[in-house]
């Protein structure tokens, strides 16, 4: 299939005169740092269509359509991605070299060939699991985890042999070319001698129609990652796909509820227990696209992620994403920190079914998390806890719901309802005021629905992504744990993923976001021009704040270690801890951090 490399894409974007392209369709006027005009995608009298001359991103604050210059051309001229890239390349004098010659119907041919290959291999992997000595150990593991042969057949679970030469030899004997296999999702693109799946239990991943579009593989040994998923191909987009969706879709419709688990085995465990409306994301956070996929079939969702810290963080983000999609959202926290697979294995289907009834609503779950994450006995802790809940308040689709939740937040955290409402209103207005000032916009322009409550975390990550070299900050000792706002965490994860994939442009980075609200915020602040000239200060202040917070966390940990030492502990160990605390105190004094004795 014809493909434009990321390097050529970036060269085209670097050489494109964004404004001249936009101005062929929209009469733009410079106001502040951005250019404004009447949106070509909806009828309006007051300009709400904005373009950033630095990044080339566009965003309409009226209809909320936004993206890169490529997306603009695709939408305005109804072009395909390739056609839009060819048009831009011709304008800026860049010659596009496709990896393969593009022929009519080539894309569809590749799609069909991939679907046929996936179908063939799912049967082969399943045969190895059920009928060959190679798969005996894998089958025993599945049986031990409580999965019956009937369920294994239903999901067509299989086994990929440990012999790394087998898969390539098998497919070559079937007549597949090296070029096709490079893009099949089964091998390293750099080396066909390296299959992605070897000595792994194989879980076929289907689309809504049940066609196999990808695989997940669970390791049989401790070597390498426990789970590997197929890379994206012409038939597979992981952010738009849920494991077990085709098997669960009828039950999701009939019960009007979907259970979203953390992984394959958890979803299968629910199915084994008779709860056949369970699905799972594919090794990534729950996404807006997956939420919409469920919303088309159901109005309720139950989130059941692991109760370790990573699982709880995933549940935090998923609560806002699911609620924003219009789903009534509840959270299932399995007792004693167990996951569904472990409960099925050790206590049986009846116990898992019983536990599955004990759900709490998303708002209460997030309030509980706020109490766990922040010290609400202090003023700063109360303020952070309230700010932590802003994304969920944004996601609520009713002012009545929002008002009632604000009351609950005030009661739970120990502040007045008025104070919570004022902080939330200030967070929203701070963004809206900057946008309106950029173009003297009238109050009747419908901004309220698009402007999210902002936090320092969210603004900091937006500034990083919009900076000249955002990837340098991944190496600035930043860690996803340093962010409280789940939208900021999502942006940081998107930046990391883009770096791994060699994606350089801003819209490419934003396309890796699982939460559309986070991506939309970056487009808003960019095209409004409010960060013009202020990026460096926001980033500098943010890095200093993160460094200070990191030192404070480290100091608290050391103090806890010191206090836990027994009376007969080694004096040298105590001395080393004290010295480290003293060193941190010196750094904290320099940054203005808190030293609580």
């Amino acid at each position: 299939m014809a493909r434009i490399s990321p390097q050529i894409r970036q060269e085209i974007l670097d050489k494109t005169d964004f404004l001249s392209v936009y101005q062929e369709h929209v009469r733009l006027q410079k106001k502040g740092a951005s250019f404004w005009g009447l949106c070509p995608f909806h009828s309006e009298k007051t300009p709400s269509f904005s373009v950033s001359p630095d990044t080339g991103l566009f965003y309409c604050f009226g209809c909320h359509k936004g993206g890169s210059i490529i997306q603009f051309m695709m939408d305005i001229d109804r072009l395909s991605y390739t056609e839009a890239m060819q048009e831009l390349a011709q304008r800026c004098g860049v010659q596009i070299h496709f990896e393969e010659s593009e022929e009519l119907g080539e894309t569809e041919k590749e799609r069909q060939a991939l679907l046929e290959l996936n179908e063939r291999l799912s049967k082969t992997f399943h045969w190895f699991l059920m009928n060959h000595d190679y798969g005996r150990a894998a089958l025993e593991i599945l049986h031990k985890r409580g999965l019956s042969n009937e369920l294994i057949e239903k999901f067509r679970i299989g086994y990929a042999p440990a012999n790394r030469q087998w898969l390539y030899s098998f497919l070559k004997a079937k007549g597949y070319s090296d070029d096709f296999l490079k893009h099949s999702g089964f091998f390293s693109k750099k080396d066909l001698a390296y299959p992605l799946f070897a000595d792994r239990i194989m879980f076929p991943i289907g689309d809504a129609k049940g066609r196999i579009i990808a695989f997940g593989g669970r390791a049989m040994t401790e070597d390498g990652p426990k789970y590997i998923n197929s890379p994206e191909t012409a038939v597979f987009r992981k952010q738009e796909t849920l494991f077990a969706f085709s098997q669960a879709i009828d039950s999701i419709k009939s019960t009007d509820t979907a259970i979203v688990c953390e992984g394959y085995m958890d979803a299968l465990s629910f199915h084994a227990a008779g709860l056949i409306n369970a699905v799972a994301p594919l090794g990534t956070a729950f996404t807006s696209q997956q939420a919409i996929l469920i919303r088309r079939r159901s109005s309720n969702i139950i989130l059941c992620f692991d109760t370790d810290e990573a699982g709880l963080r995933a549940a935090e983000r998923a609560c806002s994403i699911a609620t924003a999609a219009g789903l009534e959202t509840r959270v299932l926290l399995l007792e004693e920190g167990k996951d569904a697979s472990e409960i099925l294995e050790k206590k049986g289907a009846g116990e898992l079914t019983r536990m599955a009834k004990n759900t709490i609503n998303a708002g209460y779950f997030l309030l509980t998390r706020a109490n766990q994450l922040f010290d609400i006995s202090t003023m700063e802790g109360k303020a952070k806890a309230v700010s932590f809940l802003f994304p969920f308040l944004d996601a609520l689709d009713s002012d009545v719901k929002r008002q009632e939740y604000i009351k609950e937040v005030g009661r739970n955290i120990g502040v007045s309802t008025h104070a919570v409402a004022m902080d939330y209103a200030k967070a929203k207005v701070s963004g809206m005021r900057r946008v309106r000032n950029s173009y003297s916009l009238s109050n009747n322009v419908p901004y309220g629905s698009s402007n999210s409550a902002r936090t320092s975390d969210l603004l900091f990550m937006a500034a990083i992504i919009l900076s000249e070299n955002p990837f340098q900050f991944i190496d600035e000792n930043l860690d996803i744990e340093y962010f409280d706002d789940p939208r900021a965490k999502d942006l940081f994860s998107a930046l990391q993923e883009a770096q791994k994939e060699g994606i350089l442009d801003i819209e490419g980075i934003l396309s890796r976001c699982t939460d559309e609200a986070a991506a939309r915020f970056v487009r808003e602040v960019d095209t409004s021009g409010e960060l013009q000239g202020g990026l460096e200060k926001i980033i500098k202040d943010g890095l200093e704040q993160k460094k200070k917070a990191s030192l404070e966390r480290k100091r608290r940990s050391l103090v806890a270690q010191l206090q836990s030492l027994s009376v007969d502990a080694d004096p040298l160990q105590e001395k080393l801890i004290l010295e480290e605390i003293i060193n941190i105190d010196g750094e904290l004094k320099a940054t203005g951090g808190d030293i609580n004795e």
Side-chain angles (χ1 to χ4, degrees), residues 126 128-132 135-154 157-159 201 203 218 220 265 268-269 272-273 340-349:
H126 184 66
F128 271 114
L129 178 71
M130 304 302 292
N131 301 291
H132 200 285
R136 185 174 299 168
L139 187 60
E140 288 175 358
I141 289 174
L142 294 171
H143 286 162
K144 183 182 177 183
R145 300 299 288 269
L147 304 189
S148 65
N149 281 348
E150 182 183 2
L151 193 72
I152 292 169
E153 291 282 352
K154 179 180 178 181
I157 301 171
Y159 171 75
I201 299 173
F203 301 94
R218 182 189 185 278
M220 293 286 292
M265 287 303 299
L268 289 167
S269 297
S341 179
E342 185 179 351
I343 292 169
L344 179 69
E345 178 184 350
K346 295 183 176 179
K347 297 192 175 183

Side-chain angles (χ1 to χ4, degrees), residues 93-111:
V94 174
Q95 189 170 2
I96 294 180
H97 297 284
F98 293 106
E99 293 184 353
E100 301 175 35
S101 61
E102 186 174 30
E103 299 176 6
L104 185 64
E106 190 68 23
T107 300
E108 186 56 31
K109 287 180 183 177
E110 183 184 22
R111 286 176 54 84

Side-chain angles (χ1 to χ4, degrees), residues 252 255-260 277 286 291-292 294-304 318-332 359-364 392 395-398 400-402 405:
I252 289 172
T255 62
D256 195 29
T257 302
I259 300 173
V260 176
N277 56 335
F286 186 60
I292 292 169
I294 290 172
R295 182 65 186 89
R296 290 174 184 151
R297 281 90 177 175
S298 168
S299 56
N300 298 281
I301 188 172
I302 296 172
L303 303 171
C304 182
C319 281
S320 295
I321 289 170
T323 301
L327 289 160
E328 289 295 324
T329 307
R330 300 187 67 80
V331 178
L332 171 58
T359 63
I360 57 176
N361 68 58
Y364 181 76
F392 184 69
L396 294 171
D397 61 357
S398 159
V400 173
K401 291 179 183 177
R402 198 171 288 116
Y405 191 61

Side-chain angles (χ1 to χ4, degrees), residues 19 40-41 68 127 159 184 268 279 330 332 357 369 462 473 493:
L19 288 176
F41 300 113
S68 67
W127 182 86
Y159 171 75
S184 67
L268 289 167
V279 295
R330 300 187 67 80
L332 171 58
K357 298 175 182 178
R369 285 292 289 160
F473 299 104
S493 296

